[in-house]
mmCIF file of all heavy atoms in Angstrom:
data_model
loop_
_atom_site.group_PDB
_atom_site.id
_atom_site.type_symbol
_atom_site.label_atom_id
_atom_site.label_comp_id
_atom_site.label_asym_id
_atom_site.label_seq_id
_atom_site.Cartn_x
_atom_site.Cartn_y
_atom_site.Cartn_z
ATOM 1 N N VAL A 29 0.442 8.991 2.435
ATOM 2 C CA VAL A 29 1.218 8.832 3.670
ATOM 3 C C VAL A 29 0.688 7.653 4.485
ATOM 4 O O VAL A 29 1.461 6.865 5.046
ATOM 5 C CB VAL A 29 1.186 10.133 4.503
ATOM 6 C CG1 VAL A 29 1.767 9.907 5.890
ATOM 7 C CG2 VAL A 29 1.953 11.236 3.786
ATOM 8 N N ASN A 30 -0.640 7.507 4.550
ATOM 9 C CA ASN A 30 -1.222 6.369 5.267
ATOM 10 C C ASN A 30 -0.742 5.057 4.685
ATOM 11 O O ASN A 30 -0.344 4.138 5.410
ATOM 12 C CB ASN A 30 -2.746 6.429 5.194
ATOM 13 C CG ASN A 30 -3.406 5.299 5.967
ATOM 14 O OD1 ASN A 30 -3.533 5.359 7.181
ATOM 15 N ND2 ASN A 30 -3.824 4.251 5.257
ATOM 16 N N ARG A 31 -0.751 4.964 3.359
ATOM 17 C CA ARG A 31 -0.339 3.729 2.686
ATOM 18 C C ARG A 31 1.146 3.430 2.915
ATOM 19 O O ARG A 31 1.531 2.289 3.180
ATOM 20 C CB ARG A 31 -0.649 3.862 1.191
ATOM 21 C CG ARG A 31 -0.017 2.842 0.273
ATOM 22 C CD ARG A 31 -0.447 1.412 0.590
ATOM 23 N NE ARG A 31 0.088 0.504 -0.400
ATOM 24 C CZ ARG A 31 1.343 0.128 -0.477
ATOM 25 N NH1 ARG A 31 2.224 0.596 0.404
ATOM 26 N NH2 ARG A 31 1.746 -0.708 -1.419
ATOM 27 N N LEU A 32 2.002 4.456 2.834
ATOM 28 C CA LEU A 32 3.436 4.237 3.002
ATOM 29 C C LEU A 32 3.783 3.882 4.442
ATOM 30 O O LEU A 32 4.628 3.025 4.696
ATOM 31 C CB LEU A 32 4.217 5.475 2.555
ATOM 32 C CG LEU A 32 4.074 5.881 1.089
ATOM 33 C CD1 LEU A 32 5.007 7.030 0.754
ATOM 34 C CD2 LEU A 32 4.337 4.705 0.157
ATOM 35 N N GLU A 33 3.114 4.551 5.403
ATOM 36 C CA GLU A 33 3.362 4.240 6.815
ATOM 37 C C GLU A 33 2.976 2.795 7.117
ATOM 38 O O GLU A 33 3.691 2.077 7.819
ATOM 39 C CB GLU A 33 2.574 5.211 7.695
ATOM 40 C CG GLU A 33 2.528 4.838 9.169
ATOM 41 C CD GLU A 33 3.895 4.810 9.812
ATOM 42 O OE1 GLU A 33 4.808 5.535 9.345
ATOM 43 O OE2 GLU A 33 4.069 4.045 10.793
ATOM 44 N N TRP A 34 1.825 2.364 6.584
ATOM 45 C CA TRP A 34 1.396 0.973 6.760
ATOM 46 C C TRP A 34 2.431 0.009 6.191
ATOM 47 O O TRP A 34 2.769 -0.998 6.814
ATOM 48 C CB TRP A 34 0.038 0.755 6.077
ATOM 49 C CG TRP A 34 -0.322 -0.693 5.953
ATOM 50 C CD1 TRP A 34 -0.940 -1.467 6.894
ATOM 51 C CD2 TRP A 34 -0.041 -1.560 4.839
ATOM 52 N NE1 TRP A 34 -1.063 -2.764 6.436
ATOM 53 C CE2 TRP A 34 -0.517 -2.839 5.182
ATOM 54 C CE3 TRP A 34 0.567 -1.365 3.597
ATOM 55 C CZ2 TRP A 34 -0.408 -3.926 4.309
ATOM 56 C CZ3 TRP A 34 0.670 -2.444 2.738
ATOM 57 C CH2 TRP A 34 0.189 -3.702 3.092
ATOM 58 N N MET A 35 2.936 0.308 5.012
ATOM 59 C CA MET A 35 3.886 -0.585 4.356
ATOM 60 C C MET A 35 5.207 -0.681 5.131
ATOM 61 O O MET A 35 5.750 -1.767 5.319
ATOM 62 C CB MET A 35 4.146 -0.111 2.924
ATOM 63 C CG MET A 35 4.932 -1.098 2.093
ATOM 64 S SD MET A 35 5.021 -0.575 0.370
ATOM 65 C CE MET A 35 5.439 -2.131 -0.404
ATOM 66 N N TRP A 36 5.716 0.473 5.566
ATOM 67 C CA TRP A 36 6.986 0.487 6.303
ATOM 68 C C TRP A 36 6.879 -0.382 7.556
ATOM 69 O O TRP A 36 7.762 -1.166 7.873
ATOM 70 C CB TRP A 36 7.347 1.932 6.666
ATOM 71 C CG TRP A 36 8.645 2.082 7.406
ATOM 72 C CD1 TRP A 36 8.827 2.008 8.750
ATOM 73 C CD2 TRP A 36 9.942 2.315 6.838
ATOM 74 N NE1 TRP A 36 10.154 2.186 9.063
ATOM 75 C CE2 TRP A 36 10.859 2.383 7.911
ATOM 76 C CE3 TRP A 36 10.406 2.488 5.537
ATOM 77 C CZ2 TRP A 36 12.219 2.612 7.722
ATOM 78 C CZ3 TRP A 36 11.767 2.722 5.349
ATOM 79 C CH2 TRP A 36 12.653 2.779 6.418
ATOM 80 N N ARG A 37 5.759 -0.234 8.257
ATOM 81 C CA ARG A 37 5.566 -0.962 9.513
ATOM 82 C C ARG A 37 5.276 -2.449 9.262
ATOM 83 O O ARG A 37 5.856 -3.323 9.921
ATOM 84 C CB ARG A 37 4.408 -0.298 10.268
ATOM 85 C CG ARG A 37 4.012 -0.963 11.564
ATOM 86 C CD ARG A 37 3.055 -0.061 12.366
ATOM 87 N NE ARG A 37 2.226 0.793 11.527
ATOM 88 C CZ ARG A 37 1.072 0.414 11.002
ATOM 89 N NH1 ARG A 37 0.632 -0.832 11.187
ATOM 90 N NH2 ARG A 37 0.363 1.259 10.278
ATOM 91 N N THR A 38 4.407 -2.739 8.303
ATOM 92 C CA THR A 38 3.967 -4.112 8.068
ATOM 93 C C THR A 38 5.090 -5.008 7.564
ATOM 94 O O THR A 38 5.212 -6.175 7.973
ATOM 95 C CB THR A 38 2.805 -4.132 7.059
ATOM 96 O OG1 THR A 38 1.727 -3.365 7.588
ATOM 97 C CG2 THR A 38 2.330 -5.555 6.783
ATOM 98 N N TYR A 39 5.921 -4.470 6.680
ATOM 99 C CA TYR A 39 6.977 -5.287 6.081
ATOM 100 C C TYR A 39 8.338 -5.102 6.747
ATOM 101 O O TYR A 39 9.352 -5.568 6.237
ATOM 102 C CB TYR A 39 7.060 -5.001 4.580
ATOM 103 C CG TYR A 39 5.795 -5.407 3.861
ATOM 104 C CD1 TYR A 39 5.127 -4.510 3.029
ATOM 105 C CD2 TYR A 39 5.235 -6.667 4.041
ATOM 106 C CE1 TYR A 39 3.949 -4.864 2.385
ATOM 107 C CE2 TYR A 39 4.069 -7.032 3.407
ATOM 108 C CZ TYR A 39 3.427 -6.132 2.584
ATOM 109 O OH TYR A 39 2.263 -6.496 1.957
ATOM 110 N N GLY A 40 8.355 -4.458 7.901
ATOM 111 C CA GLY A 40 9.555 -4.391 8.711
ATOM 112 C C GLY A 40 10.741 -3.720 8.059
ATOM 113 O O GLY A 40 11.878 -4.161 8.215
ATOM 114 N N PHE A 41 10.499 -2.622 7.338
ATOM 115 C CA PHE A 41 11.599 -1.889 6.709
ATOM 116 C C PHE A 41 12.529 -1.313 7.768
ATOM 117 O O PHE A 41 12.106 -0.968 8.883
ATOM 118 C CB PHE A 41 11.061 -0.740 5.855
ATOM 119 C CG PHE A 41 10.601 -1.123 4.486
ATOM 120 C CD1 PHE A 41 9.302 -1.568 4.275
ATOM 121 C CD2 PHE A 41 11.456 -1.049 3.404
ATOM 122 C CE1 PHE A 41 8.863 -1.905 3.011
ATOM 123 C CE2 PHE A 41 11.029 -1.385 2.124
ATOM 124 C CZ PHE A 41 9.729 -1.815 1.932
ATOM 125 N N THR A 42 13.808 -1.180 7.412
ATOM 126 C CA THR A 42 14.785 -0.465 8.225
ATOM 127 C C THR A 42 15.559 0.488 7.320
ATOM 128 O O THR A 42 15.446 0.423 6.091
ATOM 129 C CB THR A 42 15.790 -1.419 8.897
ATOM 130 O OG1 THR A 42 16.679 -1.953 7.898
ATOM 131 C CG2 THR A 42 15.069 -2.572 9.601
ATOM 132 N N ASN A 43 16.368 1.353 7.936
ATOM 133 C CA ASN A 43 17.169 2.294 7.154
ATOM 134 C C ASN A 43 18.250 1.606 6.340
ATOM 135 O O ASN A 43 18.856 2.212 5.453
ATOM 136 C CB ASN A 43 17.794 3.348 8.070
ATOM 137 C CG ASN A 43 16.748 4.180 8.786
ATOM 138 O OD1 ASN A 43 16.849 4.417 9.977
ATOM 139 N ND2 ASN A 43 15.717 4.613 8.074
ATOM 140 N N ASP A 44 18.511 0.334 6.610
ATOM 141 C CA ASP A 44 19.537 -0.407 5.874
ATOM 142 C C ASP A 44 18.988 -1.109 4.635
ATOM 143 O O ASP A 44 19.747 -1.724 3.885
ATOM 144 C CB ASP A 44 20.196 -1.452 6.786
ATOM 145 C CG ASP A 44 20.933 -0.827 7.957
ATOM 146 O OD1 ASP A 44 21.534 0.244 7.760
ATOM 147 O OD2 ASP A 44 20.891 -1.412 9.052
ATOM 148 N N ASP A 45 17.689 -1.038 4.421
ATOM 149 C CA ASP A 45 17.068 -1.753 3.310
ATOM 150 C C ASP A 45 17.246 -1.005 1.989
ATOM 151 O O ASP A 45 17.612 0.168 1.955
ATOM 152 C CB ASP A 45 15.580 -1.981 3.590
ATOM 153 C CG ASP A 45 15.356 -3.054 4.644
ATOM 154 O OD1 ASP A 45 16.172 -3.987 4.710
ATOM 155 O OD2 ASP A 45 14.377 -2.943 5.406
ATOM 156 N N ALA A 46 16.951 -1.724 0.887
ATOM 157 C CA ALA A 46 17.077 -1.157 -0.456
ATOM 158 C C ALA A 46 15.881 -1.593 -1.295
ATOM 159 O O ALA A 46 15.558 -2.782 -1.363
ATOM 160 C CB ALA A 46 18.378 -1.604 -1.115
ATOM 161 N N VAL A 47 15.237 -0.622 -1.948
ATOM 162 C CA VAL A 47 14.086 -0.875 -2.817
ATOM 163 C C VAL A 47 14.524 -0.735 -4.266
ATOM 164 O O VAL A 47 15.161 0.257 -4.636
ATOM 165 C CB VAL A 47 12.952 0.125 -2.518
ATOM 166 C CG1 VAL A 47 11.823 -0.028 -3.532
ATOM 167 C CG2 VAL A 47 12.430 -0.067 -1.100
ATOM 168 N N LEU A 48 14.188 -1.727 -5.090
ATOM 169 C CA LEU A 48 14.475 -1.627 -6.524
ATOM 170 C C LEU A 48 13.305 -0.932 -7.199
ATOM 171 O O LEU A 48 12.182 -1.444 -7.207
ATOM 172 C CB LEU A 48 14.691 -3.016 -7.130
ATOM 173 C CG LEU A 48 15.117 -3.023 -8.599
ATOM 174 C CD1 LEU A 48 16.465 -2.339 -8.770
ATOM 175 C CD2 LEU A 48 15.175 -4.445 -9.147
ATOM 176 N N GLN A 49 13.561 0.260 -7.748
ATOM 177 C CA GLN A 49 12.512 1.046 -8.379
ATOM 178 C C GLN A 49 12.505 0.761 -9.879
ATOM 179 O O GLN A 49 13.350 1.237 -10.623
ATOM 180 C CB GLN A 49 12.756 2.533 -8.131
ATOM 181 C CG GLN A 49 11.510 3.404 -8.303
ATOM 182 C CD GLN A 49 11.099 3.615 -9.744
ATOM 183 O OE1 GLN A 49 11.884 4.074 -10.559
ATOM 184 N NE2 GLN A 49 9.868 3.242 -10.082
ATOM 185 N N LYS A 50 11.546 -0.064 -10.329
ATOM 186 C CA LYS A 50 11.526 -0.464 -11.727
ATOM 187 C C LYS A 50 10.168 -0.262 -12.400
ATOM 188 O O LYS A 50 9.996 -0.594 -13.568
ATOM 189 C CB LYS A 50 11.955 -1.926 -11.875
ATOM 190 C CG LYS A 50 11.038 -2.939 -11.222
ATOM 191 C CD LYS A 50 11.601 -4.346 -11.401
ATOM 192 C CE LYS A 50 10.640 -5.407 -10.894
ATOM 193 N NZ LYS A 50 9.377 -5.440 -11.656
ATOM 194 N N THR A 51 9.200 0.302 -11.672
ATOM 195 C CA THR A 51 7.875 0.508 -12.235
ATOM 196 C C THR A 51 7.803 1.874 -12.909
ATOM 197 O O THR A 51 8.243 2.870 -12.336
ATOM 198 C CB THR A 51 6.806 0.431 -11.138
ATOM 199 O OG1 THR A 51 6.941 -0.803 -10.442
ATOM 200 C CG2 THR A 51 5.410 0.544 -11.719
ATOM 201 N N THR A 52 7.242 1.928 -14.117
ATOM 202 C CA THR A 52 7.082 3.213 -14.798
ATOM 203 C C THR A 52 6.311 4.193 -13.925
ATOM 204 O O THR A 52 5.368 3.812 -13.218
ATOM 205 C CB THR A 52 6.351 3.051 -16.141
ATOM 206 O OG1 THR A 52 6.084 4.338 -16.683
ATOM 207 C CG2 THR A 52 5.023 2.321 -15.967
ATOM 208 N N PHE A 53 6.708 5.449 -13.932
ATOM 209 C CA PHE A 53 6.105 6.431 -13.021
ATOM 210 C C PHE A 53 4.701 6.832 -13.428
ATOM 211 O O PHE A 53 4.072 7.663 -12.755
ATOM 212 C CB PHE A 53 7.007 7.662 -12.863
ATOM 213 C CG PHE A 53 7.357 8.353 -14.144
ATOM 214 C CD1 PHE A 53 6.514 9.292 -14.688
ATOM 215 C CD2 PHE A 53 8.539 8.060 -14.799
ATOM 216 C CE1 PHE A 53 6.835 9.939 -15.877
ATOM 217 C CE2 PHE A 53 8.872 8.699 -15.984
ATOM 218 C CZ PHE A 53 8.018 9.639 -16.518
ATOM 219 N N THR A 54 4.159 6.268 -14.507
ATOM 220 C CA THR A 54 2.753 6.480 -14.838
ATOM 221 C C THR A 54 1.876 5.389 -14.217
ATOM 222 O O THR A 54 0.672 5.342 -14.461
ATOM 223 C CB THR A 54 2.545 6.480 -16.362
ATOM 224 O OG1 THR A 54 3.029 5.241 -16.909
ATOM 225 C CG2 THR A 54 3.284 7.638 -17.010
ATOM 226 N N PHE A 55 2.468 4.516 -13.421
ATOM 227 C CA PHE A 55 1.773 3.418 -12.762
ATOM 228 C C PHE A 55 1.941 3.650 -11.265
ATOM 229 O O PHE A 55 3.042 3.925 -10.789
ATOM 230 C CB PHE A 55 2.400 2.095 -13.196
ATOM 231 C CG PHE A 55 1.661 0.856 -12.767
ATOM 232 C CD1 PHE A 55 0.290 0.858 -12.578
ATOM 233 C CD2 PHE A 55 2.353 -0.323 -12.574
ATOM 234 C CE1 PHE A 55 -0.378 -0.289 -12.193
ATOM 235 C CE2 PHE A 55 1.700 -1.492 -12.201
ATOM 236 C CZ PHE A 55 0.324 -1.473 -12.009
ATOM 237 N N ASP A 56 0.852 3.570 -10.466
ATOM 238 C CA ASP A 56 0.930 4.061 -9.093
ATOM 239 C C ASP A 56 1.808 3.236 -8.154
ATOM 240 O O ASP A 56 2.151 3.705 -7.066
ATOM 241 C CB ASP A 56 -0.470 4.261 -8.495
ATOM 242 C CG ASP A 56 -1.275 2.982 -8.400
ATOM 243 O OD1 ASP A 56 -0.790 1.919 -8.814
ATOM 244 O OD2 ASP A 56 -2.427 3.054 -7.903
ATOM 245 N N VAL A 57 2.203 2.024 -8.546
ATOM 246 C CA VAL A 57 3.165 1.280 -7.729
ATOM 247 C C VAL A 57 4.461 2.079 -7.558
ATOM 248 O O VAL A 57 5.145 1.999 -6.534
ATOM 249 C CB VAL A 57 3.461 -0.101 -8.350
ATOM 250 C CG1 VAL A 57 4.687 -0.753 -7.719
ATOM 251 C CG2 VAL A 57 2.247 -1.020 -8.178
ATOM 252 N N SER A 58 4.790 2.889 -8.581
ATOM 253 C CA SER A 58 6.015 3.691 -8.513
ATOM 254 C C SER A 58 5.992 4.659 -7.332
ATOM 255 O O SER A 58 7.051 5.069 -6.838
ATOM 256 C CB SER A 58 6.207 4.482 -9.811
ATOM 257 O OG SER A 58 5.197 5.475 -9.961
ATOM 258 N N VAL A 59 4.797 5.036 -6.863
ATOM 259 C CA VAL A 59 4.696 6.006 -5.770
ATOM 260 C C VAL A 59 5.359 5.464 -4.508
ATOM 261 O O VAL A 59 6.145 6.155 -3.860
ATOM 262 C CB VAL A 59 3.227 6.386 -5.500
ATOM 263 C CG1 VAL A 59 3.124 7.316 -4.296
ATOM 264 C CG2 VAL A 59 2.617 7.048 -6.732
ATOM 265 N N TRP A 60 5.039 4.197 -4.152
ATOM 266 C CA TRP A 60 5.702 3.662 -2.945
ATOM 267 C C TRP A 60 7.160 3.323 -3.222
ATOM 268 O O TRP A 60 8.025 3.492 -2.339
ATOM 269 C CB TRP A 60 4.937 2.474 -2.368
ATOM 270 C CG TRP A 60 5.058 1.132 -3.038
ATOM 271 C CD1 TRP A 60 4.122 0.523 -3.815
ATOM 272 C CD2 TRP A 60 6.137 0.196 -2.934
ATOM 273 N NE1 TRP A 60 4.553 -0.715 -4.228
ATOM 274 C CE2 TRP A 60 5.789 -0.946 -3.690
ATOM 275 C CE3 TRP A 60 7.373 0.205 -2.287
ATOM 276 C CZ2 TRP A 60 6.623 -2.057 -3.816
ATOM 277 C CZ3 TRP A 60 8.212 -0.906 -2.412
ATOM 278 C CH2 TRP A 60 7.830 -2.019 -3.169
ATOM 279 N N GLU A 61 7.476 2.872 -4.439
ATOM 280 C CA GLU A 61 8.870 2.553 -4.743
ATOM 281 C C GLU A 61 9.776 3.780 -4.593
ATOM 282 O O GLU A 61 10.919 3.663 -4.135
ATOM 283 C CB GLU A 61 8.993 2.004 -6.162
ATOM 284 C CG GLU A 61 8.441 0.611 -6.369
ATOM 285 C CD GLU A 61 8.631 0.131 -7.790
ATOM 286 O OE1 GLU A 61 8.771 0.985 -8.698
ATOM 287 O OE2 GLU A 61 8.633 -1.088 -8.026
ATOM 288 N N ILE A 62 9.274 4.940 -4.981
ATOM 289 C CA ILE A 62 10.076 6.167 -4.954
ATOM 290 C C ILE A 62 10.022 6.848 -3.581
ATOM 291 O O ILE A 62 11.046 7.156 -2.977
ATOM 292 C CB ILE A 62 9.591 7.148 -6.035
ATOM 293 C CG1 ILE A 62 9.853 6.575 -7.435
ATOM 294 C CG2 ILE A 62 10.278 8.503 -5.881
ATOM 295 C CD1 ILE A 62 9.182 7.350 -8.559
ATOM 296 N N PHE A 63 8.806 7.072 -3.065
ATOM 297 C CA PHE A 63 8.671 7.946 -1.900
ATOM 298 C C PHE A 63 8.856 7.234 -0.572
ATOM 299 O O PHE A 63 9.147 7.898 0.437
ATOM 300 C CB PHE A 63 7.330 8.679 -1.960
ATOM 301 C CG PHE A 63 7.278 9.679 -3.079
ATOM 302 C CD1 PHE A 63 6.512 9.441 -4.210
ATOM 303 C CD2 PHE A 63 8.026 10.840 -3.027
ATOM 304 C CE1 PHE A 63 6.482 10.355 -5.249
ATOM 305 C CE2 PHE A 63 8.005 11.762 -4.057
ATOM 306 C CZ PHE A 63 7.226 11.513 -5.172
ATOM 307 N N LEU A 64 8.679 5.918 -0.519
ATOM 308 C CA LEU A 64 8.970 5.235 0.742
ATOM 309 C C LEU A 64 10.460 5.340 1.092
ATOM 310 O O LEU A 64 10.799 5.755 2.207
ATOM 311 C CB LEU A 64 8.519 3.776 0.687
ATOM 312 C CG LEU A 64 8.667 3.056 2.022
ATOM 313 C CD1 LEU A 64 7.316 2.673 2.599
ATOM 314 C CD2 LEU A 64 9.502 1.804 1.857
ATOM 315 N N PRO A 65 11.390 5.044 0.176
ATOM 316 C CA PRO A 65 12.806 5.246 0.497
ATOM 317 C C PRO A 65 13.152 6.716 0.758
ATOM 318 O O PRO A 65 13.887 7.030 1.700
ATOM 319 C CB PRO A 65 13.535 4.730 -0.746
ATOM 320 C CG PRO A 65 12.586 3.791 -1.388
ATOM 321 C CD PRO A 65 11.217 4.363 -1.135
ATOM 322 N N LEU A 66 12.633 7.639 -0.068
ATOM 323 C CA LEU A 66 13.005 9.043 0.066
ATOM 324 C C LEU A 66 12.486 9.650 1.367
ATOM 325 O O LEU A 66 13.173 10.462 2.000
ATOM 326 C CB LEU A 66 12.473 9.853 -1.118
ATOM 327 C CG LEU A 66 13.124 9.610 -2.482
ATOM 328 C CD1 LEU A 66 12.500 10.508 -3.537
ATOM 329 C CD2 LEU A 66 14.626 9.837 -2.425
ATOM 330 N N CYS A 67 11.281 9.285 1.771
ATOM 331 C CA CYS A 67 10.650 9.932 2.930
ATOM 332 C C CYS A 67 10.863 9.176 4.245
ATOM 333 O O CYS A 67 10.925 9.798 5.302
ATOM 334 C CB CYS A 67 9.159 10.107 2.678
ATOM 335 S SG CYS A 67 8.764 11.152 1.266
ATOM 336 N N TRP A 68 10.972 7.859 4.198
ATOM 337 C CA TRP A 68 11.134 7.088 5.433
ATOM 338 C C TRP A 68 12.602 6.724 5.688
ATOM 339 O O TRP A 68 12.974 6.448 6.793
ATOM 340 C CB TRP A 68 10.266 5.835 5.399
ATOM 341 C CG TRP A 68 8.902 6.065 5.975
ATOM 342 C CD1 TRP A 68 8.441 5.627 7.180
ATOM 343 C CD2 TRP A 68 7.817 6.774 5.386
ATOM 344 N NE1 TRP A 68 7.142 6.033 7.379
ATOM 345 C CE2 TRP A 68 6.739 6.744 6.294
ATOM 346 C CE3 TRP A 68 7.650 7.459 4.183
ATOM 347 C CZ2 TRP A 68 5.513 7.355 6.035
ATOM 348 C CZ3 TRP A 68 6.439 8.068 3.924
ATOM 349 C CH2 TRP A 68 5.385 8.015 4.836
ATOM 350 N N GLY A 69 13.403 6.688 4.624
ATOM 351 C CA GLY A 69 14.832 6.579 4.846
ATOM 352 C C GLY A 69 15.476 5.231 4.625
ATOM 353 O O GLY A 69 15.942 4.588 5.558
ATOM 354 N N CYS A 70 15.497 4.755 3.367
ATOM 355 C CA CYS A 70 16.326 3.608 2.998
ATOM 356 C C CYS A 70 16.838 3.860 1.576
ATOM 357 O O CYS A 70 16.586 4.916 1.003
ATOM 358 C CB CYS A 70 15.576 2.291 3.119
ATOM 359 S SG CYS A 70 14.115 2.114 2.073
ATOM 360 N N ARG A 71 17.587 2.913 1.028
ATOM 361 C CA ARG A 71 18.211 3.154 -0.279
ATOM 362 C C ARG A 71 17.223 2.932 -1.420
ATOM 363 O O ARG A 71 16.382 2.040 -1.370
ATOM 364 C CB ARG A 71 19.417 2.219 -0.470
ATOM 365 C CG ARG A 71 20.669 2.698 0.260
ATOM 366 C CD ARG A 71 21.883 1.869 -0.141
ATOM 367 N NE ARG A 71 21.700 0.480 0.243
ATOM 368 C CZ ARG A 71 21.833 -0.564 -0.586
ATOM 369 N NH1 ARG A 71 22.129 -0.362 -1.855
ATOM 370 N NH2 ARG A 71 21.666 -1.797 -0.150
ATOM 371 N N LEU A 72 17.370 3.752 -2.448
ATOM 372 C CA LEU A 72 16.558 3.669 -3.653
ATOM 373 C C LEU A 72 17.468 3.286 -4.819
ATOM 374 O O LEU A 72 18.427 3.992 -5.109
ATOM 375 C CB LEU A 72 15.887 5.014 -3.927
ATOM 376 C CG LEU A 72 15.069 5.185 -5.198
ATOM 377 C CD1 LEU A 72 13.868 4.259 -5.192
ATOM 378 C CD2 LEU A 72 14.610 6.634 -5.344
ATOM 379 N N VAL A 73 17.178 2.156 -5.461
ATOM 380 C CA VAL A 73 17.976 1.678 -6.591
ATOM 381 C C VAL A 73 17.141 1.846 -7.857
ATOM 382 O O VAL A 73 16.097 1.212 -8.012
ATOM 383 C CB VAL A 73 18.378 0.199 -6.416
ATOM 384 C CG1 VAL A 73 19.230 -0.270 -7.590
ATOM 385 C CG2 VAL A 73 19.110 -0.007 -5.099
ATOM 386 N N LEU A 74 17.602 2.723 -8.754
ATOM 387 C CA LEU A 74 16.842 3.044 -9.962
ATOM 388 C C LEU A 74 17.240 2.152 -11.131
ATOM 389 O O LEU A 74 18.428 1.916 -11.359
ATOM 390 C CB LEU A 74 17.070 4.506 -10.350
ATOM 391 C CG LEU A 74 16.531 5.555 -9.375
ATOM 392 C CD1 LEU A 74 17.097 6.923 -9.709
ATOM 393 C CD2 LEU A 74 15.015 5.600 -9.407
#
């Protein structure tokens, strides 16, 4: 949660944004790709 909150604030995300989720879920980059849109509220493109 600390990492995702930092990212949302630092990179100026809004609810109108869209994240392209392309990292395999066995690699931890997928954690922010998946849960930042789902929990903070923007579009997730799989």
